[in-house]
Each structure stands twice: as C-alpha cells, then as structure tokens.
C-alpha cells in the first residue's frame, strides 16, 4: 500500500467506507449476517451446522459462496481489462448494488444479502497487481495487523515512521462507513441501499477519471 499514489489511497479509503456501509446495512437488516466479513459468516455457518440451525447455515454458506463468486468475476475482469480494470470492476460493483437496492425495494430478504456479498467480493479486485489483491478493501484484520507491524517498526527506529498511517486511514474509513450504514438503516431501512449504489457510482466515475493509467499521445514524426 505504501507504493500507492495518494489519490488512489484516498479512493481506497472511500471504498473501505463503502464496504463498511454495506456491511452494516446487511448486519442490521437481516439476522446479523455480513456482506463483507466472511470470517463472521463462516463462524455463523459452523455454529449453524453444530447447533442444528439449518436455516442459518444455509444463509451463511450462500453468502460465502456469493462472495467467492464476486472475487471470480473481478479476477476475470482484471485479466480482460489489464491495467484499466479498476473502473470496470467498480462498474460491476455499482450494478450489483443497484440490483440489490431494486430487490430490497420490491421483496426484502436473503437474496439482497447474496447480491451484497457478491458486490463486496467483486470490490476487492479494484486494487490488483499481477493477479494478486494489493489492498484488501472489505476486511480490516489485515490492516490492523499492518498497523501493529508498522508501529513496531517505528518504535524500533525504521526510517519510514509513518507507514502505518495509510492502514489506519483504511480502518477508520471502514469504521466511518459502518457507523453511517447503521444510522442510515435505522432511518431509511432497505432504501438506504440506494445510497450505497449512488456512492459506488460516484466512486466509479472518480476511478475512471483519476485511477486509471493515462494514455499519452505519441507525437507524429
């Protein structure tokens, strides 16, 4: 992440906030399941299987598989679009969030969560280099580990004493998004999904404008 340009770090923080927003909507709207936190859903799956709660296990398993499906979609887009994959991936995220908002308006239920999980799985493909995710946008455990590691390095005299700051910003972005998502759900219910879709659309345009490599015109001989 320390090699990422400042404008893209700002975009990453905004995308983490979007993930927190969506995750809070999912968690507060339907039974404490998650749209982006697959460790939590895996725990729900295990508890459901162990406690004989087949319905919970089915929902949790569907969310995990949907998230993986989103990762597959984004990986295909990355290979197809190459260096210009960011906007393409975010366009799919926006489409999935819009579809989730439509379904949530017409018939709220587990299908909305499945679409949200797929959107969050797809979002993780935005920052990708050589087929590997470079910035995890929807799960913060890795960022917290990085904060601890970088702070330890700073205390031990490493030259780059502030390398932990971008990871802290990413975590704070996710937290701010979760706060906003919970507040929005309490006020607007499922209709808050339209706000998530709008935010994703704005971020897609921002990435298309600032986040993709620019093609320089070659002067004619």
């Amino acid at each position: 992440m320390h090699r990422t340009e400042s404008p893209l770090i700002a975009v990453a923080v905004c995308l983490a906030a979007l993930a927190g927003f969506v995750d809070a909507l999912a968690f507060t709207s339907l039974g404490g399941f998650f749209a982006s936190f697959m460790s939590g859903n895996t725990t729900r799956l295990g508890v459901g299987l162990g406690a004989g709660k087949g319905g919970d296990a089915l929902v949790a398993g569907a969310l995990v598989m949907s998230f993986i499906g989103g990762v597959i979609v984004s990986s295909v887009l990355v290979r197809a679009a190459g260096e210009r994959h960011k906007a393409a991936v975010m366009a799919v995220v926006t489409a999935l969030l819009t579809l989730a908002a439509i379904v949530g308006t017409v018939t709220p239920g587990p299908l909305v969560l499945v679409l949200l999980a797929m959107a969050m799985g797809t979002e993780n493909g935005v920052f990708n280099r050589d087929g590997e995710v470079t910035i995890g946008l929807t799960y913060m455990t890795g960022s917290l580990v990085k904060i601890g590691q970088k702070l330890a390095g700073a205390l031990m005299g490493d030259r780059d004493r502030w390398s932990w700051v971008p990871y802290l910003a990413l975590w704070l972005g996710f937290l701010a998004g979760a706060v906003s998502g919970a507040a929005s759900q309490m006020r607007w219910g499922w209709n808050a999904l339209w706000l998530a879709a709008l935010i994703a659309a704005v971020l897609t345009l921002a990435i298309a404008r600032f986040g993709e490599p620019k093609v320089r015109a070659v002067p004619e001989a």
Side-chain angles (χ1 to χ4, degrees), residues 164-206:
W164 54 274
V165 173
Y167 297 99
L168 176 63
L170 201 66
W171 179 77
L172 290 174
F174 189 93
L175 176 62
V179 172
S180 300
S184 298
Q185 196 279 335
M186 290 182 64
R187 183 169 184 177
W188 298 306
W190 286 106
N191 288 328
L193 285 172
W194 289 104
L195 181 56
L198 176 61
I199 294 171
V202 171
L203 289 173
T204 301
L205 293 175

Side-chain angles (χ1 to χ4, degrees), residues 27-213:
F27 183 83
T28 56
S29 295
L30 195 62
F33 291 96
F34 301 92
S36 68
F37 182 48
M38 292 302 116
S39 294
N41 285 334
T42 301
T43 300
R44 292 293 304 265
L45 173 60
V47 171
L49 292 174
K53 299 179 179 179
D56 287 355
L58 181 62
V59 172
L63 293 176
V64 172
M65 295 305 297
S66 182
F67 186 90
I68 294 173
V71 174
I72 293 172
V73 169
S74 66
S75 298
V76 171
L77 287 173
V78 168
R79 291 197 178 191
E83 293 184 351
R84 297 182 174 276
H85 69 273
K86 294 182 180 66
V89 170
M90 276 307 300
V92 173
V93 172
T94 302
L96 288 169
L97 291 176
T98 301
L99 182 58
I102 293 172
V103 174
T105 300
V106 176
T107 174
L111 178 58
V112 179
L113 292 182
V114 169
L115 292 169
L116 294 179
M118 179 170 285
M120 294 299 95
T122 304
E123 185 181 305
N124 280 293
V126 172
F127 292 96
N128 194 296
R129 185 183 297 118
D130 298 327
E132 298 293 334
V133 172
T134 56
I135 303 177
L137 298 169
T138 68
Y139 43 90
M140 291 297 110
T141 302
S143 292
L144 292 173
V145 170
K146 286 292 186 181
I147 290 171
Q149 290 175 332
K150 299 298 183 181
L151 280 172
L155 292 171
M156 295 174 68
D158 285 359
R159 181 175 300 178
D160 191 357
R161 296 183 178 182
W162 303 103
S163 59
W164 54 274
V165 173
Y167 297 99
L168 176 63
L170 201 66
W171 179 77
L172 290 174
F174 189 93
L175 176 62
V179 172
S180 300
S184 298
Q185 196 279 335
M186 290 182 64
R187 183 169 184 177
W188 298 306
W190 286 106
N191 288 328
L193 285 172
W194 289 104
L195 181 56
L198 176 61
I199 294 171
V202 171
L203 289 173
T204 301
L205 293 175
I207 288 173
R209 177 65 178 85
F210 301 108
E212 300 288 13

